[in-house]
Amino acid sequence: MTNEQSDQDRVESRAHHLLPEEEAAGSDDPEAQAEAILAESDIREADQNVAPDTVLKRRTSDQTVVAVEPPD
């Protein structure tokens, strides 16, 4: 399978599985909508500083708040 074929399969799959809010907004071309969504997703994945307000911070469990045991 070529990258182009893989990308097309990915777009078709995304077009058939739009989120409820994406379906509610409607689209004349679900595949073009899916392609745009995936392109933006790929950009954000490649450079996580592209949209600083939407970047998830990744932390390990040892970087989280220590749980306090309730008294018995």
Side-chain angles (χ1 to χ4, degrees):
M1 182 181 297
T2 66
N3 279 347
E4 187 176 312
Q5 185 179 19
S6 173
D7 287 345
Q8 185 59 33
D9 290 344
R10 192 171 157 230
V11 168
E12 288 175 8
S13 176
R14 183 64 172 87
H16 287 78
H17 298 95
L18 294 175
L19 298 174
E21 57 270 23
E22 294 165 347
E23 286 181 355
S27 178
D28 292 335
D29 189 351
E31 286 198 18
Q33 182 179 359
E35 189 171 355
I37 291 166
L38 291 171
E40 182 178 343
S41 176
D42 290 344
I43 290 168
R44 289 181 186 218
E45 186 176 343
D47 182 0
Q48 294 189 2
N49 293 320
V50 167
D53 294 341
T54 61
V55 173
L56 294 175
K57 293 185 180 180
R58 302 192 193 287
R59 296 186 176 121
T60 61
S61 59
D62 61 322
Q63 294 173 314
T64 60
V65 177
V66 177
V68 177
E69 291 291 324
D72 287 333

